[in-house]
Amino acid sequence: MLQTVWVSSPESQALQESNSHHQDKKRCWKCRFVRTIIQHPCRRHAPKRSRKERMLRKIQICLCFCFVSGILYEISLLSSCVFSYLPMAQHYLTPEQVLNLGKSIIFLETTERLEPPPLVSCSVESAARTYQDRPIILFMRGLTNETALDMNTSYAAFSLLSSMKNVFIFPLQMETIFQETPLLQWYNQVVPEQEKNWVHVSSDASRLALIWKYGGIYMDTDVISIRPIPQESFLAAQKSRFSSNGIFGFPARHKFIWDCMENFVLKYNGNIWGNQGPFLMTRMLKTLCNLTDFQGTEDHSCQNISFLNPQRFYPIPYPAWSRYYQVWDKSPSFNHSYALHLWNFMNRNRKVVVAGSNTLAEKLYKTYCPTTYEDLIQNAKHRDLPGPEDIE
């Protein structure tokens, strides 16, 4: 329905009243009447103009929604809650941009190897699943910006890891990492070809520099994550009064890590395995704390640094490392552990997870890195089976 309202000046109103009985006086438009249309909600009688207005309004709302969605998407690319692997071209995220998101989980591969073996893949995948709101970064010494774009098609493990939303794979560029740290002078003077333990020493140095600059958690590539670590500043006890450097975490610019880098250079001896690694962490911790034996499963704390019980990461000690590759009558629960170190350094016979073996390691793969298990372990078993063309 339409309602008509008449509005006039005083002079024309008097004229209207005197001639109201004359039908032909409807031409009072000449008296400067203004007709105002007020529309009531009735779609059947709505004029064409109103439909157009409604349509225009819908279009405007849609455009605004698309605009806002675009802004939110751009923001999400830099948030710590949404991650995706991007090939390492200049117009994509750089290592520094990802590290600056904060609280990264960092892995290092300091050999020239380009194909991550299943244990490395399992370590990275388990971290990605355990810390879904944090960037998981694998730095690879053998990777360059030129080869990065081809990795996802050349190697199964690389493709598997790069498809995970919060996993990033970058080249390990030590000279860049050591900038603005005490390690740069050492790196410029050392001759890698003459170093007996260069793969390990360079890894020891790189993890210190990265954690000092950006903060987060460092993990060896033979560590399987099973639940989040609640502490922010921590060292992992390998045994009573002895710290490992295979897992540790600190905020950026923490003084303890800076002191470790200075001691790394001051007491450098590349001929002694672990001198720049677990022995470094232990001697620096002893300068701050009076270390005592662990009783039960409690953690120790000193100078706001948590010294975590061996049960947290090393429930199976290194002399018994091969038990991971054995069949257990009853598998341990690891209820007091945050992650499990599989002692790959001790695995000189190169024991691996075999599909259907029912070993403890196989059960861990199935539970904490199921994609690695299915893609790299199960599929390898199927590839090894003879096909019809192989049967005579």
Side-chain angles (χ1 to χ4, degrees), residues 324-365:
Y324 280 113
Y325 298 93
Q326 296 174 1
V327 178
W328 291 51
D329 293 334
K330 183 180 179 181
S331 298
S333 63
F334 300 117
N335 287 334
H336 301 293
S337 301
Y338 301 134
L340 304 173
H341 194 286
L342 268 61
W343 304 106
N344 196 52
F345 177 73
M346 303 293 295
N347 189 5
R348 294 181 177 86
N349 294 329
R350 293 294 175 253
K351 293 180 180 293
V352 296
V353 171
V354 178
S357 61
N358 202 35
T359 61
L360 177 59
E362 185 191 17
K363 292 180 179 179
L364 294 174
Y365 274 54

Side-chain angles (χ1 to χ4, degrees), residues 185-341:
Q185 182 180 0
W186 159 80
Y187 180 73
N188 289 333
Q189 295 174 351
V190 74
V191 181
E193 294 76 15
Q194 298 177 2
E195 291 292 321
K196 179 181 177 181
N197 298 299
W198 178 246
V199 169
H200 302 287
V201 168
S202 60
S203 178
D204 293 335
S206 298
R207 67 189 72 176
L208 288 172
L210 285 167
I211 295 299
W212 182 78
K213 280 187 171 183
Y214 304 104
I217 295 174
Y218 168 81
M219 293 184 182
D220 279 349
T221 53
D222 57 350
V223 172
I224 298 178
S225 297
I226 61 179
R227 57 179 57 89
I229 302 169
Q231 289 83 358
E232 185 177 17
S233 302
F234 70 90
L235 294 172
Q238 184 173 315
K239 59 182 180 180
S240 288
R241 308 185 189 207
F242 188 80
S243 176
S244 78
N245 75 328
I247 311 169
F248 63 93
F250 286 90
R253 301 298 202 260
H254 196 283
K255 185 178 186 300
F256 178 81
I257 299 299
W258 180 268
D259 292 343
C260 285
M261 290 190 293
E262 289 187 329
N263 191 272
F264 183 106
V265 177
L266 182 65
K267 299 293 181 72
Y268 182 75
N269 187 339
N271 293 321
I272 301 176
W273 186 91
N275 187 62
Q276 272 60 56
F279 294 108
L280 167 66
M281 291 295 202
T282 301
R283 64 177 176 260
M284 295 306 296
L285 186 60
K286 286 182 176 178
T287 63
L288 299 178
C289 311
N290 180 24
L291 301 182
T292 59
D293 292 338
F294 288 95
Q295 303 296 329
T297 59
E298 87 282 4
D299 299 320
H300 292 172
S301 181
C302 177
Q303 300 288 329
N304 294 323
I305 298 175
S306 296
F307 191 40
L308 301 184
N309 193 287
Q311 289 293 316
R312 305 293 179 236
F313 307 104
Y314 306 102
I316 297 179
Y318 76 89
W321 68 271
S322 62
R323 298 200 68 192
Y324 280 113
Y325 298 93
Q326 296 174 1
V327 178
W328 291 51
D329 293 334
K330 183 180 179 181
S331 298
S333 63
F334 300 117
N335 287 334
H336 301 293
S337 301
Y338 301 134
L340 304 173
H341 194 286

